[in-house]
Amino acid sequence: MADTVRVKNIGLRGVTVADTKISFIDGEQGILIYRGYRIEELAERSSFMETAYLLLDGALPDRQELDAFTARVVAARQVPEFILNNLKTWPASAHPMDVLQACVPLLGIADPELRVETRESNLNQAIRLIARIPVVVAAWHRVRNGLEPLPPDNTLTHAGNFLWQMSGVKPDPEMARDLDVCLVLHADHTFNASTFACREVVSTRAHMYAGVTAGIGALSGSLHGGANAEVIKMLMRLKSEPDVAGWVRQQLANNQKIMGMGHAVYKTMDPRARFLKEMAERLGKKLGREHWFQLSSAIETAALQEFEQRGKTTIKPNVDFYSAPVYHLMGITADLMTTIFAMSRIAGWCAHIIEEKFAEAQGKPALYRPEAEYVGEYCGLMGCAYEPLQARD
Ligand SMILES: CC(C)(COP(=O)(O)OP(=O)(O)OC[C@H]1O[C@@H](n2cnc3c(N)ncnc32)[C@H](O)[C@@H]1OP(=O)(O)O)[C@@H](O)C(=O)NCCC(=O)NCCS
């Protein structure tokens, strides 16, 4: 039996629970690596399709392998008709993350390999999930606005096709490339809450779709992927605020968080935030809407100053801080922002699910089963005396 390690109520910070070959973070130096490659290199030179292949396969593809992988994703974009029809009966007020979380099991029951537990069939399922999650998100956005879902445009990139299927407008190539870079940046992040949720679920030998459903639930929270939606709400609230620094000061004085700042692992600038900051500025300039970048930078400057004064010098902008203005400039509504995170992180989730199921980084699969200290009512090992209901009236 394994030794008992006592690390309670610290959200598993600093507790290593598994080995992984998929990604690596150096939180002190602000370094993120996927399968050996620095995130900066991938953001500048790779694409989401190539990065997804890298995460799932473990190595960069050659031209033929990349073309074949991309063709498989493109071919898998067709979401079963019963799901699209079903969406039309759902309340238009439903949050896109809830809709996405509800749709993943529906995609699962339509997957012919749902319970085929080979690596190959799990990879096929991963490809279908990567292909279909953006289609479901775009379809829901249209259906809730009283519009028909659009067929994919297979001449566009993964990101470009999402923008098209969401808006019905052929995207500006630079914007589509920027969204593709966002997808590269969000694709994996070691044992973050949602990835851990996916791995924990499939450690029970549940199928990939069950794991991904749990991951979407974990991602939706405002301390994780939901933070980007909170950031845009903050920007909307502050767009005509004359005293941004005063608002930040007050927020911290009230023990409230500045969303999009701070990180459980990074103790310096999140390496992904640098790209998103540059993108927010560039896109803003191009569209003549620089005020969102200016407002974000003003919040950042004020917050860093306040954190400094409070001795909290490790709290810096994270990936969600500048992704929010970037997505807003791309015409993505606040409540869709976390789904963009999901349509990227699905690549990492699936890679981790496969690694967990097939013990690709450890000797053999292991069911996660931590312990908790019981601090509740206790009457001894014989248990408390049970009083019948009538006697308790
Ligand atoms: C992500 C996050 C949960 C990581 O937190 P963590 O490293 O576990 O640290 P804690 O939440 O315990 O915070 C440590 C201290 O810094 C403060 N802090 C952390 N992030 C903060 C923020 N964004 N704004 C204000 N204070 C913050 C906490 O209030 C806490 O202060 P205390 O010690 O006086 O109680 C946290 O930074 C946060 O809530 N950020 C905002 C949400 C967000 O952007 N999430 C997306 C992450 S990618």
Side-chain angles (χ1 to χ4, degrees), residues 112 177 185 250 320 354:
R177 168 66 194 155
L185 294 173
Q250 198 52 48
D320 297 305
I354 289 172

Side-chain angles (χ1 to χ4, degrees), residues 25 42 66 92 129 155 281 283 306-307 342 347:
I25 300 172
L42 295 170
L66 179 60
L129 278 160
T155 63
E281 183 172 23
L283 263 182
E306 288 296 323
F307 287 139

Side-chain angles (χ1 to χ4, degrees), residues 36-229:
Y37 296 91
R38 289 275 298 244
I39 193 67
E40 291 83 355
E41 190 97 62
L42 295 170
E44 276 161 19
R45 302 172 63 185
S46 183
S47 65
F48 178 65
M49 279 297 101
E50 187 180 67
T51 298
Y53 183 103
L54 171 69
L55 290 170
L56 289 164
D57 184 81
L60 284 171
D62 62 24
R63 165 60 57 199
Q64 222 180 353
E65 288 165 332
L66 179 60
D67 288 350
F69 180 77
T70 307
R72 289 178 70 192
V73 173
V74 166
R77 278 186 181 144
Q78 221 59 53
V79 167
E81 210 48 42
F82 81 90
I83 298 179
L84 297 178
N85 289 336
N86 212 310
L87 291 181
K88 293 177 187 163
T89 67
W90 294 4
S93 58
H95 193 285
M97 280 299 278
D98 294 331
V99 169
L100 184 60
Q101 194 182 10
C103 283
V104 169
L106 299 181
L107 291 171
I109 60 178
D111 193 313
E113 292 177 283
L114 183 61
R115 286 193 165 79
V116 186
E117 287 302 342
T118 60
R119 192 187 200 281
E120 193 193 352
S121 73
N122 273 270
L123 184 61
N124 294 340
Q125 292 171 56
I127 287 173
R128 288 192 269 275
L129 278 160
I130 290 169
R132 292 176 184 176
I133 281 183
V135 179
V136 166
V137 171
W140 174 244
H141 185 58
R142 292 185 70 77
V143 166
R144 69 174 173 166
N145 286 304
L147 300 165
E148 274 300 310
L150 287 168
D153 179 339
N154 294 339
T155 63
L156 297 171
T157 61
H158 194 68
N161 179 60
F162 168 73
L163 290 170
W164 149 250
Q165 285 196 283
M166 176 195 72
S167 66
V169 178
K170 292 290 155 89
D172 167 63
E174 187 182 341
M175 197 179 277
R177 168 66 194 155
D178 282 337
L179 183 58
D180 199 71
V181 173
C182 294
L183 300 183
V184 170
L185 294 173
H186 287 79
D188 197 48
H189 215 227
T190 73
F191 268 55
N192 57 89
S194 57
T195 300
F196 185 47
C198 291
R199 291 190 70 133
E200 195 271 335
V201 168
V202 303
S203 82
T204 70
R205 301 198 181 167
H207 51 64
M208 176 173 275
Y209 288 83
V212 168
T213 308
I216 293 174
L219 187 73
S220 68
S222 63
L223 295 186
H224 190 10
N228 55 16

Side-chain angles (χ1 to χ4, degrees), residues 26-32 38 40 266 268-271:
D26 183 323
E28 297 299 327
Q29 297 189 68
I31 291 171
L32 170 59
R38 289 275 298 244
E40 291 83 355
Y266 292 121
T268 184
M269 181 92 166
D270 181 329

Side-chain angles (χ1 to χ4, degrees), residues 267-325:
K267 300 303 161 208
T268 184
M269 181 92 166
D270 181 329
R272 303 164 298 174
R274 188 166 66 77
F275 284 90
L276 294 158
K277 185 172 182 175
E278 180 278 327
M279 210 181 271
E281 183 172 23
R282 179 169 43 75
L283 263 182
K285 265 197 193 123
K286 177 172 167 151
L287 300 171
R289 296 167 71 199
E290 287 160 275
H291 51 286
W292 295 113
F293 173 75
Q294 286 157 0
L295 176 56
S296 306
S297 322
I299 299 170
E300 180 188 353
T301 307
L304 294 185
Q305 220 163 37
E306 288 296 323
F307 287 139
E308 176 100 40
Q309 279 172 18
R310 289 168 160 76
K312 294 180 176 174
T313 50
T314 58
I315 306 177
K316 310 273 189 215
N318 61 47
V319 71
D320 297 305
F321 193 74
Y322 282 102
S323 62

